[in-house]
C-alpha cells in the first residue's frame, strides 16, 4: 500500500480541526499537513445535524474563531450559517485544499523507532484502505458518536403507529405540518425544536422527566449593533464583543457556583417575567443547582412565545408506555402524537472510535490523564482537542490549537522528534475530565470513555478560559512533565512514570 507522508495529520474538519490546522500552518510555515474528514463537507456537528431550528447554544462572538470575526449581530446562529462560516474560515486560511473527504481513520500506531504515527484510513466511498505516516497527530473529532446517538428503548414503542425520529438522524422528507408532535427531552435540542416546529405543527409537546434552567437572551447584541453603526472595523468589534462575552460567561458561571440559591432565584425570576403569570413553574424548576448541568439559552424568548400562544406545551412526567397513537404517562395522562422525537442525547466516543496504540501496545484513554488539557499522558506527539462544557467550545479549541502550534515550533527549533507527557499515579483522580462538576446524562456516560481528571497542575482541568489562556499561550513549552526525545534513541525512562 502506498503511504502518504506528512508532518501533521488532523483527524476531523469541524471547528476543532479547522482551528488546529490554521494555527499549525501559521506557526509552522512550510509544514506538510492533511486533514481527514469522514463527511463530504467541512463543519462537523454543523454538517451532521439537520433538524428544524438547529442553532448554537453559545453566543457567536465566542463560539466563532478568535482569528475570524463573526460579522452578524445576532447572538445565536443557525446551523447552516455556522457551517458556512467554518468552511469560509478553512478556505481563507488555506486549510480547505488540504482536507481529504470521505476518510475514516481506523487505527493509529506510534513508533518510537521512527518517531512517527502510522494511521490506517478507510475511503468510505470505495472501501479501499490508505496509509498515512505523520510526525504529529491531532484528534479533533469532538467527543460523541456520529453514527449512534444515545437512544434508550421505551416500553411499548413497537406498538406506536406514528413516526419515531432522533434529531441526530433527521429524515429530509419528514413533514410535520398539521401533525401532533411530542419531543422527549429537556436539553438544548428539545428546547430548540419546540419553537421551530410549533408554527407548522398542530401542536408540539415537550415531554421531560425533569426541568432544565432556561435563560432568554436578546436575538441581537446591542453592543455589536452600536459598533456597527459607528462603522468600527469588524476585527475591533469582534475583539471587543468577544472579550465582553468571555467576561460575562466567567462571571455568571462563578456567580452560579458561588451563590447557587441566589442564582436560582434570579434565573427562575427571569423565566416568570418571560413566560407570563400563567406559567407553571414546576416545568422550569430543576432540583439541581444552577450549572450542575449546562444552561439552555433561547434567543428572543422564542420558547416562551410559543408556550404563551398555546401552540406548544410542556409535560413534566415519566413515560409509562407508548400506545398505538401516543404516549401514556405515569400520571395516567396520554399525549396523542403522530411524530415522536427522541431528543435523548449523545453517545460519547473519542477519536471517532479509532484504535490507538503506542509501539503496538493498546492505549486505554480512560486510564490516562490530560497534560494541560491537550496532551494525553504517555502518548507521544498527539493533541486531543476537547472544548469547554461550561462555556463556548471554541474558546478551548482555539487555545489547544495555539498550544499545539507552539509545541511543534519548539520541537522543530530544538531538533526534537518526540514529545511525551509523563505522569505518576498520584496525578490522576477517579473523575473523568467531564464528570466532576456537571451531572448531565451524557457527562455521566462519558466517565467510561474520557480521560481522567488530574489532581494538580499541569494535569488538572480548570475549565477556566483565563487560567487556560495563561497556561497554553504564555507558559514555557519545556517543563518537567514533558519529555523530549530523538527517534530511535535508547530509551532510559519509561513512557509512563511509576
Amino acid at each position: 500500500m502506498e503511504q502518504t507522508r506528512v508532518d501533521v495529520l488532523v483527524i476531523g474538519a469541524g471547528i476543532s480541526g479547522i482551528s488546529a490546522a490554521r494555527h499549525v500552518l501559521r506557526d509552522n510555515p512550510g509544514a506538510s499537513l492533511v486533514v481527514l474528514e469522514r463527511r463530504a463537507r467541512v463543519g462537523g456537528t454543523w454538517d451532521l445535524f439537520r433538524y428544524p431550528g438547529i442553532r448554537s447554544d453559545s453566543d457567536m462572538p465566542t463560539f466563532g474563531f478568535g482569528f475570524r470575526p463573526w460579522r452578524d449581530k445576532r447572538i445565536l446562529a443557525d446551523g447552516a450559517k455556522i457551517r458556512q462560516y467554518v468552511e469560509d474560515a478553512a478556505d481563507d486560511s488555506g486549510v480547505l485544499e488540504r482536507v481529504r473527504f470521505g476518510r475514516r481513520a481506523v487505527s493509529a500506531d506510534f513508533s518510537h523507532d521512527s518517531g512517527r504515527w502510522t494511521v490506517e484510513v478507510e475511503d468510505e466511498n470505495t472501501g479501499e484502505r490508505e496509509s498515512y505516516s505523520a510526525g504529529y497527530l491531532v484528534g479533533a473529532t469532538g467527543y460523541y458518536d456520529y453514527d449512534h446517538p444515545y437512544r434508550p428503548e421505551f416500553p411499548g414503542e413497537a406498538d406506536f403507529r406514528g413516526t419515531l425520529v432522533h434529531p441526530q438522524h433527521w429524515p429530509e422528507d419528514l413533514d410535520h405540518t398539521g401533525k401532533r408532535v411530542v419531543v422527549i427531552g429537556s436539553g438544548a435540542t428539545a428546547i430548540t425544536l419546540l419553537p421551530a416546529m410549533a408554527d407548522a405543527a398542530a401542536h408540539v409537546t415537550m415531554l421531560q422527566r425533569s426541568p432544565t434552567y432556561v435563560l432568554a437572551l436578546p436575538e441581537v447584541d446591542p453592543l455589536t449593533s452600536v459598533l456597527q453603526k459607528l462603522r468600527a472595523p469588524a476585527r475591533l468589534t469582534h475583539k471587543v464583543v468577544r472579550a465582553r462575552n468571555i467576561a460575562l460567561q466567567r462571571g455568571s458561571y462563578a456567580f452560579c457556583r458561588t451563590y447557587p440559591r441566589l442564582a436560582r432565584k434570579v434565573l427562575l425570576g427571569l423565566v416568570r417575567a418571560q413566560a407570563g403569570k400563567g406559567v407553571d413553574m414546576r416545568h422550569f424548576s430543576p432540583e439541581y443547582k444552577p450549572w450542575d448541568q449546562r444552561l439552555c439559552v433561547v434567543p428572543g424568548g422564542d420558547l416562551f412565545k410559543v408556550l404563551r400562544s398555546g401552540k406548544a406545551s410542556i409535560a413534566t412526567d415519566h413515560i409509562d408506555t407508548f400506545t398505538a397513537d401516543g404516549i401514556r404517562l405515569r400520571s395516567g395522562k396520554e399525549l396523542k402524537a403522530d411524530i415522536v422525537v427522541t431528543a435523548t442525547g449523545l453517545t460519547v466516543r473519542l477519536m471517532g472510535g479509532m484504535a490507538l496504540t503506542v509501539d503496538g501496545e493498546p492505549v486505554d484513554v480512560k486510564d490516562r490523564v490530560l497534560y494541560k488539557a491537550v496532551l494525553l499522558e504517555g502518548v507521544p506527539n498527539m493533541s486531543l482537542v476537547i472544548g469547554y462544557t461550561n462555556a463556548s467550545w471554541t474558546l478551548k479549541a482555539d487555545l489547544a490549537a495555539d498550544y499545539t502550534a507552539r509545541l511543534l515550533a519548539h520541537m522543530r527549533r530544538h531538533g526534537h522528534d518526540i514529545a511525551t507527557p509523563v505522569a505518576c499515579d498520584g496525578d490522576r483522580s477517579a473523575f473523568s475530565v467531564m464528570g466532576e462538576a456537571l451531572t448531565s446524562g451524557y457527562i455521566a456516560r462519558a466517565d467510561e470513555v474520557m480521560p481522567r481528571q488530574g489532581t494538580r497542575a499541569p494535569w488538572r482541568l480548570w475549565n477556566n478560559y483565563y487560567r487556560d489562556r495563561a497556561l497554553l499561550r504564555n507558559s514555557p513549552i519545556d517543563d518537567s512533565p514533558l519529555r523530549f526525545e530523538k527517534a530511535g534513541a535508547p530509551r532510559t525512562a519509561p513512557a509512563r512514570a511509576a
Side-chain angles (χ1 to χ4, degrees), residues 461-479:
L461 273 70
W462 300 105
N463 280 319
N464 182 321
Y465 176 78
Y466 296 119
R467 295 186 73 154
D468 290 340
R469 184 175 62 182
L471 182 69
L472 295 172
R473 284 187 178 170
N474 304 324
S475 65
I477 292 291
D478 196 350
D479 65 1

Side-chain angles (χ1 to χ4, degrees), residues 74-91:
R74 283 173 293 183
I75 293 177
L76 306 183
D78 64 62
K81 283 189 179 350
I82 297 172
R83 198 213 66 80
Q84 188 60 55
Y85 168 82
V86 175
E87 182 172 297
D88 291 343
D91 193 16

